[in-house]
């Protein structure tokens, strides 16, 4: 998994859902009538990437972003703007000490479970649910 700082906490995402990590911001163009969590659209390697401010989407306090995580999801080209990337963690090795799964009552939240890494709690994001909800938002707005 990749671990990054965001909104005063640590979060992680499964590497299988990530195309690339850019440890810098991408210059972007404003998108008219976009929701507040859309930072803009950016050109990258001949593709148009929709940049989503993950903090704003999750209704967390704003902070400066330092990295963009390009997601590997269907036909959508989405980049999640996050804080500082701290590194890649081997989930099967000794890096992770314990895992706490959330119960079914929490399925509306984008954090699947919590792990202990270097004596710090990391919330593992459910990227698939996040992208499904983003896709649903834009489909509803397009009607």
């Amino acid at each position: 998994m990749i671990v990054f700082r965001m909104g005063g906490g640590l979060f992680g995402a499964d590497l299988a859902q990530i195309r690339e990590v850019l440890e810098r911001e991408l210059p972007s163009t404003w998108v008219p009538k976009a929701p507040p969590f859309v930072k803009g659209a950016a050109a990258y390697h001949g593709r148009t990437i929709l940049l989503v401010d993950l903090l704003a989407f999750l209704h967390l306090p704003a902070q400066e972003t330092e990295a963009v995580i390009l997601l590997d999801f269907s036909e959508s080209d989405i980049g999640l703007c996050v804080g500082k990337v701290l590194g890649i963690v081997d989930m099967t090795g000794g890096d992770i000490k314990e895992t706490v799964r959330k119960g079914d009552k929490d399925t509306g939240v984008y954090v699947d479970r919590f792990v202990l890494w270097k004596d710090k709690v990391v919330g593992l994001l459910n990227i698939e649910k996040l992208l499904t909800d983003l896709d649903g938002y834009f489909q509803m707005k397009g009607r």
Side-chain angles (χ1 to χ4, degrees), residues 19 35 53 81 105 124 139:
R19 181 181 311 143
D53 182 339
C81 300
K105 66 181 180 180
L124 296 183
Q139 284 184 10

Side-chain angles (χ1 to χ4, degrees), residues 98-138:
E98 69 181 64
T99 298
V100 178
R101 290 207 176 271
K102 296 178 72 172
D104 290 337
K105 66 181 180 180
D106 295 318
T107 55
V109 179
Y110 298 104
V111 175
D112 269 347
R113 58 190 166 129
F114 296 95
V115 297
L116 190 59
W117 172 67
K118 294 185 178 181
D119 296 324
K120 296 179 181 142
V121 176
V122 178
L124 296 183
L125 295 176
N126 183 334
I127 298 292
E128 191 169 326
K129 175 164 178 35
L130 189 142
L131 287 173
T132 300
D133 287 358
L134 274 172
D135 188 49
Y137 176 86
F138 288 112

Side-chain angles (χ1 to χ4, degrees), residues 56-130:
F57 182 76
L58 298 175
H59 305 287
L60 294 172
Q63 87 177 38
E64 190 172 323
T65 58
E66 297 181 29
V68 177
I69 298 174
L70 301 178
L71 300 176
D72 191 13
F73 181 74
S74 185
E75 298 171 13
S76 302
D77 285 319
I78 294 179
L80 298 179
C81 300
V82 300
K84 183 172 181 59
V85 172
L86 301 177
I88 305 296
V89 177
D90 181 4
M91 293 287 291
T92 59
D95 291 341
I96 302 298
K97 293 196 177 175
E98 69 181 64
T99 298
V100 178
R101 290 207 176 271
K102 296 178 72 172
D104 290 337
K105 66 181 180 180
D106 295 318
T107 55
V109 179
Y110 298 104
V111 175
D112 269 347
R113 58 190 166 129
F114 296 95
V115 297
L116 190 59
W117 172 67
K118 294 185 178 181
D119 296 324
K120 296 179 181 142
V121 176
V122 178
L124 296 183
L125 295 176
N126 183 334
I127 298 292
E128 191 169 326
K129 175 164 178 35
L130 189 142

